[in-house]
């Protein structure tokens, strides 16, 4: 564990990029082998749109990275944050707790806020306008949302008192898990169900991409499914009932145009349609 921790403490940028690319390639290939849906679309053209937003996310995060490092350094220097207050503890426990709390604040909470605050939803909705969800959808974020998520990562680092190594471990896991739970892959139902009690499985997250409420406002998690179950935002929906997209922007042609997507936050807010949920679908 110590060698693993030390590696992430000084992980080169090239290695972080390799994790991102390797995840996309691995799940991209797996989508051909065990697809959940036989999606009728031009896979490379679709990927090009989402890779554009992947690049903008990198361009946003790269110049801001020093703020994250400064936040981490400040918490360590001032003995501030949950991990600092609970020390000493075994290294494995420190890493696990740090990743858990960063997942809560930097991913779940940021995601929940993006759905609940109208102006922020205007940026996040780009993620939901994908009518063909696959592993590349994981990186489909408007540059404005990338700034929001970075701010919440800084907040998480501040509250947790996270050292750089734990931040890097969390971000590596976050990237891979996001690619995994967006991937158009079919796992045996029992395996997916068991996984969903611990981590966010593909079937669990696909519910979040159903085009109508209340499903759009459910299953916010990225790594751990604990948070949705704990806060009552966990919902189930059979895979064959899922329709990708979002009811307020149903035009697939416009949603495949980068220029149109970038302008969505400037448009007037449109209310969702509500869809009836039976008690059997709820956790």
């Amino acid at each position: 564990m110590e060698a693993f921790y030390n590696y992430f403490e000084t992980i080169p940028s090239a290695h972080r990029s390799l994790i991102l690319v390797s995840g996309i390639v691995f799940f991209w290939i797996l989508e051909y082998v065990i697809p959940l849906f036989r999606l009728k679309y031009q896979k490379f053209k679709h990927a090009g749109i989402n890779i554009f937003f992947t690049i903008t996310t990198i361009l946003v995060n790269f110049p801001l990275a020093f703020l994250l490092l400064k936040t981490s350094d400040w918490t360590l220097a001032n003995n501030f944050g949950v991990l600092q207050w609970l020390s000493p503890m075994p290294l494995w426990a420190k890493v696990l707790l740090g990743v858990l709390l960063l997942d809560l604040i930097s991913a779940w909470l940021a995601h929940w806020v993006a759905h609940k605050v109208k102006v922020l939803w205007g940026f996040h909705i780009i993620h939901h306008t994908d009518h063909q969800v696959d592993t590349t959808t994981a990186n489909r974020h408007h540059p404005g949302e990338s700034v929001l998520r970075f701010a919440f990562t800084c907040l998480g680092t501040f509250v947790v008192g996270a050292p750089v190594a734990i931040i890097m471990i969390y971000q590596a896991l976050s990237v891979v898990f996001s690619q995994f739970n967006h991937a158009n892959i079919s796992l045996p139902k029992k395996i997916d169900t068991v996984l969903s009690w611990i981590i966010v499985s593909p079937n669990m997250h696909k519910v979040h991409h159903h085009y109508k409420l209340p499903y759009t406002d459910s299953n916010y998690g990225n790594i751990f499914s604990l948070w949705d179950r704990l806060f009552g935002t966990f919902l189930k929906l059979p895979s064959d009932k899922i329709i990708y997209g979002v009811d307020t922007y149903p035009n697939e042609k416009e949603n495949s145009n980068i220029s149109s997507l970038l302008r969505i936050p400037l448009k007037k807010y449109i209310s969702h349609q509500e869809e009836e949920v039976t008690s059997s679908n709820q956790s």
Side-chain angles (χ1 to χ4, degrees):
M1 172 57 79
E2 191 169 337
F4 176 78
Y5 185 89
N6 291 338
Y7 166 73
F8 276 96
E9 194 168 34
T10 57
I11 183 172
S13 296
H15 290 197
R16 298 182 66 196
S17 300
L18 184 61
I19 292 172
L20 171 66
V21 174
S22 297
I24 292 175
V25 171
F26 176 76
F27 292 115
W28 175 285
I29 294 171
L30 206 58
E31 288 174 338
Y32 283 105
V33 180
I34 51 170
L36 177 62
F37 299 119
R38 295 288 179 180
L39 300 178
K40 298 178 180 179
Y41 68 109
Q42 294 177 292
K43 196 169 174 67
F44 282 89
K45 182 179 179 181
H46 171 262
I49 296 168
N50 293 341
I51 289 172
F52 168 82
F53 286 108
T54 303
I55 293 171
T56 62
T57 298
I58 293 171
L59 292 176
V60 167
N61 281 275
F62 185 76
L64 294 176
F66 79 96
L67 292 175
L68 193 59
L69 297 178
K70 289 291 184 182
T71 302
S72 176
D73 289 344
W74 186 90
T75 62
L76 297 181
N78 292 275
N79 196 38
F80 185 89
V82 175
L83 293 183
Q84 310 308 316
W85 300 329
L86 294 180
S87 292
M89 67 174 75
L91 183 58
W92 68 266
K94 182 178 179 180
V95 171
L96 177 59
L97 180 59
V99 170
L100 269 166
L101 294 178
L102 284 173
D103 183 54
L104 169 62
I105 300 170
S106 306
W108 190 93
L109 182 60
H111 198 175
W112 181 85
V113 168
H115 275 252
K116 300 304 178 183
V117 179
K118 289 182 180 180
V119 67
L120 299 180
W121 170 247
F123 291 101
H124 180 60
I125 199 172
I126 281 75
H127 184 69
H128 284 268
T129 56
D130 199 337
H131 297 260
Q132 313 290 347
V133 174
D134 65 17
T135 191
T136 67
T137 307
N139 305 304
R140 183 184 174 114
H141 298 295
H142 190 283
E145 183 179 2
S146 297
V147 174
L148 170 71
R149 287 180 174 269
F150 181 85
F152 271 87
T153 302
C154 282
L155 174 63
T157 298
F158 179 74
V159 173
V160 175
V164 171
I166 292 179
I167 297 170
M168 295 299 108
I169 293 170
Y170 160 71
Q171 290 190 328
L173 289 173
S174 180
V175 165
V176 174
F177 270 85
S178 186
Q179 292 167 345
F180 166 65
N181 57 50
H182 283 88
N184 180 40
I185 57 176
S186 177
L187 298 179
K189 188 175 180 180
K190 287 185 178 180
I191 293 178
D192 194 286
T193 299
V194 169
L195 286 176
S196 72
W197 278 99
I198 306 167
I199 61 173
V200 178
S201 67
N203 283 357
M204 175 182 169
H205 189 71
K206 297 302 190 306
V207 175
H208 180 75
H209 280 272
H210 184 61
Y211 78 118
K212 281 187 179 182
L213 290 175
Y215 299 103
T216 309
D217 286 354
S218 70
N219 301 4
Y220 297 106
N222 185 35
I223 299 177
F224 299 103
S225 60
L226 162 70
W227 311 122
D228 284 301
R229 295 180 182 277
L230 183 63
F231 297 119
T233 53
F234 178 81
L235 286 178
K236 295 179 181 179
L237 184 65
S239 296
D240 60 359
K241 301 294 184 183
I242 294 173
I243 300 174
Y244 292 140
V246 61
D247 58 353
T248 53
Y249 286 89
N251 191 317
E252 187 169 356
K253 184 176 180 181
E254 287 187 6
N255 295 338
S256 299
N257 182 283
I258 292 173
S259 178
S260 296
L261 292 172
L262 288 171
R263 292 197 301 270
I264 286 179
L266 303 177
K267 297 180 180 180
K268 185 179 179 180
Y269 175 80
I270 305 172
S271 298
H272 289 285
Q273 298 174 36
E274 189 73 30
E275 183 172 296
E276 184 179 351
V277 182
T278 62
S279 59
S280 64
N281 285 335
Q282 299 184 32
S283 172

